[in-house]
Amino acid sequence: MQPFFEGKESEHNWSKREKSIIKLRKLTKGNAPNEFNSTYIAGIKALLDGILKTVNSLRTTVSSNGCHLIQEIAKTIGPGLDSMVEILLRDLIKLCAGTKKISAQNGNITVDIIMANVSYNVRLMQHVWNACQDKNVQPRTSASTWLKTVLNKHGHHKSHFEHTSGVEYTEKCIKRGLADANPGVREGMRSTFWVFAKIWPEKAEAIMSTLDEKHKDLLEKDSGNPHSPKKSSKSAGLSSGRSATLPRNKPGAPPKPSVREAIAAQKRAAMAAGTLPERPASAQSTASLSPARPSTSMSTIRPSVSMASIRPSASRSATTIVP
């Protein structure tokens, strides 16, 4: 595979590169990572530059296959990818800032999966902090998701997280995200704030106290807030709606029949008594007003034969046929 990844991508080697990436995906899903772990990781490390070339390819299918390969490797070997994380995150975060929507989405998902499966390192937080300061909106929007993944995955190791400046980077990311000019970035960071508040509530209170009333109100109304007023009002509305739709019959009384059942019962009773109502006058009037088709008789269609022609006659020549 190594020769296919040398040089730039061209019309002659892009298909061979894609086939090589698909073959690596098959090996990753097979027994190679488990039975030949060291050999497999060494091979991936040797082909890492070529894999990143396919990730940055201008052909969407080639780039997607490269991203899917890295996702599967991260899920399969997990911490075995630690030595390659730095190079992978550098290129994948750049991919998130690209103009191609599919490639940017693939890059975002791949970074998220890597952060969820590799070991914690302060470099992960530094990459998230750099993404929060990016001039493009896409990395800033994705940074809230990555930060939430890191907190959910590694936040329970509080002492290690605190001693490696993880909390400081998290506070800086949240403050910057909540004050971002883009509303999508602010909305994504609000849900991340409440994940942070579950682990470090005192520090979350300190961040909230620095916000103005408008931003504080929006933060409290976020769906990630376990005590959000929206959730309580919604649950109250659902309970009141259910009580309003319940039938108000007295206990023990039979349920009231519907209108359709009442009409059907009246029709059955009328048929049994033989006293069906007459046809409405409107239907009769419309029937009488409809134009009648002209009657056609045999006399108008075929020529008539005179009665004299069917009388018995002595001579056959005396018969006259009227045309």
Side-chain angles (χ1 to χ4, degrees):
M1 296 180 188
Q2 194 83 35
F4 301 146
F5 295 107
E6 292 177 357
K8 294 183 179 180
E9 185 178 305
S10 64
E11 291 291 333
H12 304 288
N13 62 8
W14 74 266
S15 60
K16 294 178 181 178
R17 289 185 178 187
E18 186 178 22
K19 288 177 182 177
S20 300
I21 293 296
I22 292 171
K23 188 177 290 186
L24 285 173
R25 292 183 66 186
K26 291 178 181 178
L27 289 171
T28 305
K29 291 181 179 179
N31 62 340
N34 296 324
E35 298 183 12
F36 310 97
N37 187 267
S38 58
T39 308
Y40 172 80
I41 293 175
I44 293 297
K45 202 177 282 188
L47 292 170
L48 188 60
D49 289 338
I51 293 170
L52 290 174
K53 284 181 181 178
T54 60
V55 167
N56 294 313
S57 173
L58 295 177
R59 291 175 171 84
T60 307
T61 53
V62 179
S63 177
S64 299
N65 275 314
C67 290
H68 291 317
L69 173 62
I70 296 174
Q71 293 172 21
E72 291 160 5
I73 292 171
K75 291 176 181 177
T76 304
I77 64 176
L81 201 66
D82 290 348
S83 59
M84 298 172 266
V85 166
E86 189 68 24
I87 303 170
L88 289 171
L89 291 181
R90 183 193 63 197
D91 283 41
L92 288 168
I93 291 174
K94 286 182 182 177
L95 184 66
C96 294
T99 54
K100 285 191 173 182
K101 189 175 181 181
I102 296 175
S103 299
Q105 287 177 350
N106 287 332
N108 174 25
I109 295 169
T110 307
V111 171
D112 191 58
I113 290 174
I114 288 173
M115 290 188 173
N117 288 278
V118 299
S119 304
Y120 171 74
N121 191 295
V122 69
R123 290 294 297 161
L124 297 180
M125 299 304 300
Q126 289 173 358
H127 281 291
V128 175
W129 170 237
N130 291 334
C132 288
Q133 302 175 86
D134 200 283
K135 62 180 180 179
N136 296 299
V137 178
Q138 294 96 327
R140 300 204 310 268
T141 307
S142 303
S144 60
T145 307
W146 304 337
L147 182 58
K148 188 191 298 184
T149 300
V150 173
L151 291 173
N152 286 325
K153 179 69 177 179
H154 308 287
H156 58 281
H157 301 295
K158 293 181 68 173
S159 59
H160 180 58
F161 204 82
E162 290 170 355
H163 289 314
T164 54
S165 304
V167 178
E168 287 78 4
Y169 277 112
T170 304
E171 288 178 325
K172 288 196 292 184
C173 292
I174 291 175
K175 287 177 181 178
R176 188 167 185 104
L178 291 176
D180 197 276
N182 188 279
V185 178
R186 296 197 301 269
E187 184 178 357
M189 196 57 77
R190 288 184 197 120
S191 60
T192 306
F193 170 86
W194 291 110
V195 176
F196 177 72
K198 291 177 185 177
I199 307 170
W200 291 279
E202 299 84 5
K203 295 183 181 297
E205 285 289 337
I207 294 173
M208 186 181 284
S209 63
T210 61
L211 301 175
D212 56 13
E213 290 299 324
K214 180 182 177 181
H215 289 85
K216 189 183 293 186
D217 188 49
L218 290 171
L219 186 60
E220 290 176 349
K221 290 180 180 178
D222 188 77
S223 59
N225 183 7
H227 307 293
S228 174
K230 279 187 178 180
K231 288 186 177 180
S232 57
S233 61
K234 189 175 180 180
S235 59
L238 285 172
S239 59
S240 63
R242 285 172 186 168
S243 61
T245 54
L246 287 174
R248 297 183 178 179
N249 295 335
K250 293 181 180 179
K256 294 178 68 176
S258 63
V259 178
R260 186 177 295 177
E261 291 175 353
I263 293 172
Q266 289 179 0
K267 285 185 178 180
R268 286 195 295 269
M271 288 176 67
T275 57
L276 282 173
E278 294 184 358
R279 195 175 183 185
S282 60
Q284 292 179 1
S285 61
T286 53
S288 60
L289 288 174
S290 60
R293 295 178 62 184
S295 60
T296 57
S297 61
M298 294 300 295
S299 60
T300 60
I301 297 174
R302 300 179 62 184
S304 61
V305 181
S306 64
M307 294 301 295
S309 62
I310 60 175
R311 289 175 184 170
S313 174
S315 63
R316 190 175 182 88
S317 62
T319 307
T320 58
I321 298 175
V322 180

